[in-house]
């Protein structure tokens, strides 16, 4: 079997030369272990094997648990791994030994017994590293050298230690203050995990002194969030207190429903000793770990803005930081039960090194409370450590006892240095505890009496660390008391000032300047263009180099077919219209990112935006060689994703909330597969603006349509998206609905809706009920006139086949693909008294456009909604009340009856149902 490293080195499908959004990694210059070191290891092979055993197994003996009620020193000694016994390697305690070449930091030892003491300090103390799962010799050797040096040299000064103690004491003071002033509020405090302040402090130091970072993007859950926001991240406590007192966090003019304090975010410049960087801590929902892919996507958007990392044009990167690594860093903080328990984390890790999703390494910290809600650790997973999932991508893992914030500081430096050197993920397992249970109103002793007996019997982590510094003469008792008292005074003053605190307008700034929240009217945007420009773009979309070996079928049906349609300008199909929309936006300076499974080719082999050379396997993206757009022309990024919905959609949402000048599209392979990402849709996409004033213009393409493919390939569950909107049943909608939903029935309509998404002065998420059979249906075409200047997306398409509106007795309303079935049947029956009106926009519900169309049919007496979905699905339950309340007409239903699944699994049954729908619609 080929090793993973060999497989990665052969990754050529995304071009050995690089394409937009993917920069091939330069080959490593690592030459292996030096001859001198190898000779020393060979001469002392037994001793080297023993030292390696400590590196691989020492963590099993380490003192990493701050509350070891079931893990006593005696128990650890009794269960000492046999691999650590020197006798196993033919060594006696008084044997002489020279550690040169065996240890990275040669210690002043001359006997096995002395070396054992050093190894226990390095690998069995309050922190220990896991290395056995890492295949790369270069990474192992580098990690061993840096880990052993950091722990041996311990570069912290007494001033650093005082700062760490003060931060932790401030965190404790904050929690104590809230416990007294807000005793009935769930604050999810940091008690038991105050060492995370040392992590962030060192992260900030490394950001300016080691990595030269310009952006840090953090995804963090509730635990300790308010502590770090107010102590290190620049959030005024008055803002938190105002929220806890029951006031909104936004100015009165914001159209927002707000959220709880533990979901707050920050976007601020951090100044560290005269140098600064920008910090983003994202809003998080209560759905554990769901923020992680969002933080990854936002980090990649920062890299796109910087044009570094994966977007750099060369090895050093345009504006790249030290060693050419990206200047935007992703940090994820996890919960111990949630990290192994939530599948989204595996999805995120599987994206970590995938082209177009890699962000050059994430630093992870698991805040290991050792209990999930009330579930003990041994009931919450099947692995030894919470961090074992990280071994799937061979990420280094260091376990740290929260009682030792100094060790955590060294490990944080190691994490940053590793990321800078290798551009890969690094994990810190911070073993701590929750002093008060899941929240401050919960009694954890009911289910975990022994654990909480040990917790309540021990001092707090800040007090214990401060006492150690007092014993070492670094602090004295008055210093400690002054640190706590000083912060209490600050908090008291902030509480007194909360009524005068005015919420800041933190939205529509920087890259979002010029955009706004839309009004309560539906606006029209001119998205048409001169056809000469569109023809130029269309031809460019199928061009390729002369020496490129194109697939013959693609050449015949896709390339030649498109060129013919463009020349004639009469039968422009769906894929061509999409290329015209994306290419024209690029021409105007917008970047486009299209993400999903197999999106380069398209699930239905319709897109072919990415061509693959049949001889070399190299890819070519024609639109990225589009000429005429000038130096500000945008680029197209095609992100063929892993087989994931939740993490990938979260990633794309993160891209969309950071960069309004990029059209971000996510395409489900089949529309109904979106439900794997339901958490992201519910908690971020459709509610992020009203909860957090975070806008996004993400487009979801959801292939939909009944064609006999049974229940998991027919429906995008349109009814669910419609139910998630805040559209009103008795009042006209405006552009300010939380989610826009369209079911376009022509290529031109699809073109206009994509262009409108970027041309408008606001951003709203868009769900496109996308076609399958319409991609190649001969009747589903548009002409060049439909794209001309002055044209736009029409929320209602009139029935242009009606010659005399006064003869119409029945008006049938429908949407999307179903129109073509009805049109064909009407023609076969030669009916002249039935009009077919298409609702292209479902939300906002097009009341005015619909009323204008209905006004044509003065003699109509019957109004029918016809759909191919079941009655409890599709758009019926959404359309009926709005049509009857605002169009003031009764409407009848024609379609499948209620059902528990979206489609039958027997072909003849499907055909019979389809026939019945058509018959009842026209009867």
């Amino acid at each position: 079997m080929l090793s993973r490293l060999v497989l990665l080195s052969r990754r050529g499908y995304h071009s050995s030369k690089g394409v937009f959004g993917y920069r091939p990694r330069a080959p490593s210059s690592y030459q292996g272990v030096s001859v001198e070191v190898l000779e020393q290891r060979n001469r002392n092979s037994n001793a080297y094997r023993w030292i390696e055993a400590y590196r691989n197994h020492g963590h099993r003996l380490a003192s990493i648990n701050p509350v070891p009620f079931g893990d006593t020193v005696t128990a650890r000694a009794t269960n000492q791994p046999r691999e650590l016994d020197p006798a196993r390697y033919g060594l006696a305690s008084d044997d002489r030994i020279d550690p040169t070449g065996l240890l990275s930091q040669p210690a002043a030892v001359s006997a096995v017994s002395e070396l054992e003491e050093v190894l226990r300090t390095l690998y069995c103390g309050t922190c220990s590293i896991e290395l056995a799962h890492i295949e790369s010799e270069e990474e192992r050797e580098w990690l061993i050298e840096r880990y052993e040096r950091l722990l041996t040299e311990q570069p912290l000064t007494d001033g650093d230690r005082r700062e760490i103690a003060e931060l932790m004491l401030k965190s404790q003071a904050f929690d104590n203050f809230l416990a007294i002033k807000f005793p009935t509020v769930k604050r999810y405090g940091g008690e038991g995990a105050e060492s995370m302040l040392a992590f962030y402090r060192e992260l900030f130091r490394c950001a300016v002194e080691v990595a030269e970072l310009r952006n840090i993007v953090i995804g963090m859950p509730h635990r300790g969030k308010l502590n770090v926001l107010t102590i290190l991240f620049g959030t005024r406590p008055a803002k938190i207190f105002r929220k806890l007192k029951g006031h909104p966090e936004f100015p009165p003019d914001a159209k927002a429903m707000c959220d709880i304090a533990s979901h707050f975010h920050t976007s601020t410049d951090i100044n560290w000793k005269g140098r600064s960087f920008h910090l983003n801590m994202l809003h998080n929902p209560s759905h554990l770990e769901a923020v992680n892919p969002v933080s990854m996507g936002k980090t990649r958007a920062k890299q796109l803005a910087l044009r570094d990392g994966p977007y750099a044009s060369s090895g050093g990167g345009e504006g790249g930081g030290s060693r050419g690594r990206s200047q935007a860093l992703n940090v994820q903080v996890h919960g111990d039960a949630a990290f192994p328990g939530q599948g989204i984390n595996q999805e995120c890790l599987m994206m970590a090194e995938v082209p177009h999703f890699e962000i050059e390494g994430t630093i992870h910290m698991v805040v290991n409370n050792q209990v999930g809600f009330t579930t003990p650790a041994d009931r919450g997973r099947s692995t030894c450590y919470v961090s074992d999932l990280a071994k799937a991508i061979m990420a280094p893992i260091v376990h740290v006892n929260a009682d030792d914030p100094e060790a955590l500081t060294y490990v944080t430096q190691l994490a940053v240095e590793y990321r800078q050197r290798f551009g890969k993920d690094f994990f810190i397992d911070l073993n701590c505890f929750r002093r008060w249970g899941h929240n401050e109103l919960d009694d954890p002793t009911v289910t975990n009496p022994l654990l909480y007996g040990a917790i309540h019997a021990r001092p707090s982590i800040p007090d214990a660390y401060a006492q150690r510094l007092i014993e070492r003469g670094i602090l004295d008792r008055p210093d400690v008391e002054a640190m706590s008292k000083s912060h209490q005074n600050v908090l008291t003053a902030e509480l007194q000032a909360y009524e005068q605190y005015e919420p800041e307008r933190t939205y529509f700034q920087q890259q979002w300047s010029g955009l706004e929240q839309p009004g309560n009217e539906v606006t029209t945007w001119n998205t048409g263009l001169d056809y000469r420009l569109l023809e130029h773009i269309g031809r460019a979309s199928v061009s390729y180099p002369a020496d490129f070996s194109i697939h013959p079928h693609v050449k015949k049906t896709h390339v030649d077919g498109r060129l013919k349609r463009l020349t004639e300008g009469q039968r422009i199909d769906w894929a061509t219209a999409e290329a015209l929309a994306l290419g024209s936006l690029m021409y105007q300076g917008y970047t486009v990112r299209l993400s999903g499974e197999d999106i380069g080719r398209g699930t239905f082999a319709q897109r072919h935006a990415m061509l693959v050379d049949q001889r070399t396997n190299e890819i070519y993206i024609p639109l990225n060689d589009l000429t005429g757009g000038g130096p500000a022309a945008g680029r197209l990024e095609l992100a063929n994703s892993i087989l994931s919905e939740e993490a990938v959609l979260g990633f794309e949402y993160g891209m969309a909330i950071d960069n309004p000048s990029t059209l971000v599209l996510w395409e489900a392979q089949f529309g109904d597969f979106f439900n794997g990402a339901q958490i992201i849709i519910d908690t971020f996409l459709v509610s992020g603006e009203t909860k957090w004033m975070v806008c996004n213009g993400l487009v979801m393409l959801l292939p939909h349509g009944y064609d006999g493919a049974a229940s998991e390939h027919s429906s995008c569950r349109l009814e669910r998206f419609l139910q998630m909107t805040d559209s009103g049943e008795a009042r006209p909608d405006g552009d300010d609905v939380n989610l826009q939903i369209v079911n376009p029935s022509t290529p031109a309509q699809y073109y206009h809706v994509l262009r409108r998404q970027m041309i408008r002065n606001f951003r709203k998420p868009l769900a496109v009920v996308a076609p399958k059979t319409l991609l190649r249906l001969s009747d589903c075409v548009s002409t060049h006139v439909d794209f001309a200047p002055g044209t736009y997306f029409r929320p209602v398409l009139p029935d242009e086949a009606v010659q005399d509106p006064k003869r119409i007795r029945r008006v049938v309303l429908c949407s999307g693909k179903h129109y073509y079935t009805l049109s064909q049947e009407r023609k076969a029956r030669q009916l002249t008294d039935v009009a077919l009106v298409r609702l292209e926009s479902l939300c906002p519900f097009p009341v005015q456009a619909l009323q204008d169309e209905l006004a044509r049919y003065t003699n109509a007496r019957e109004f029918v909604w016809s759909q191919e979905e079941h009655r409890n699905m599709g758009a019926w339950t959404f359309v009926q009340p709005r049509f009857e309340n605002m169009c003031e007409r009764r409407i009848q239903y024609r379609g499948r009856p209620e059902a528990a699944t979206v489609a039958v699994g027997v072909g003849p049954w499907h055909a019979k149902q389809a026939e019945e729908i058509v018959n009842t619609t026209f009867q």
Side-chain angles (χ1 to χ4, degrees), residues 64-115:
I64 57 174
N65 190 351
V67 281
F69 73 93
D71 182 26
T72 64
V73 175
T74 303
R76 289 200 306 275
T78 303
N79 297 316
Q80 176 173 327
R82 289 188 292 272
E83 292 88 347
L84 304 185
D85 183 0
R88 188 182 180 99
Y89 307 93
L91 301 173
S93 61
D94 57 352
D95 284 353
R96 311 306 292 174
I97 191 168
D98 178 9
T100 304
L102 308 183
L103 285 178
S104 294
Q105 180 69 5
V109 300
S110 58
V112 167
S113 58
E114 295 172 346
L115 178 57

Side-chain angles (χ1 to χ4, degrees), residues 184-320:
T184 62
V185 173
K186 299 176 182 178
R187 65 181 187 276
Y188 303 99
E191 292 117 319
E194 292 92 347
S195 295
M196 70 171 69
L197 274 295
F199 165 79
Y200 284 118
R201 176 191 176 276
E202 181 64 12
L203 185 69
F204 289 1
R205 185 194 70 80
C206 291
V208 299
E209 296 180 11
V210 176
E212 303 173 14
L213 297 179
R214 292 174 62 183
N215 287 279
I216 296 179
V217 180
I218 301 174
M220 179 181 180
H222 303 51
R223 175 116 156 87
K225 189 173 191 180
L226 301 183
N227 305 58
V228 296
L229 278 173
T230 57
I231 295 169
L232 274 174
F233 293 1
T235 299
R236 280 191 59 185
K239 177 180 179 179
I240 306 298
F241 298 152
R242 188 177 191 273
K243 181 63 182 180
L244 298 181
K245 287 287 188 178
H247 298 284
E249 61 267 29
F250 298 115
D253 63 339
K255 298 178 182 178
M257 294 177 67
C258 304
D259 202 358
I260 60 175
S262 54
H263 294 174
F264 275 10
H265 93 305
T266 188
S267 177
T268 185
D269 289 325
I270 298 292
N271 187 285
W272 184 265
K273 299 181 179 179
R275 298 167 68 182
S276 65
F277 58 89
H278 193 77
L279 176 76
N280 290 93
M281 174 184 278
L282 301 185
H283 293 284
N284 63 293
S286 291
H287 287 66
L288 301 174
E289 310 290 326
V291 73
N292 296 336
V294 180
S295 73
M296 294 172 69
K298 189 175 180 73
T299 302
R300 189 168 174 97
K302 296 294 185 187
Q303 295 171 345
L304 173 60
L306 293 170
R307 283 296 196 269
D308 77 354
Y311 295 99
S313 59
S314 61
E318 296 174 2

Side-chain angles (χ1 to χ4, degrees), residues 573-599:
D573 64 358
W574 201 274
T576 302
E578 180 184 77
L580 299 181
L582 303 186
S584 61
L585 287 172
M586 293 166 59
Y587 193 89
Q588 292 177 262
Y590 296 102
T591 294
V592 177
R593 175 180 167 94
L594 178 57
S595 169
E597 298 149 19
D598 306 314
I599 50 85

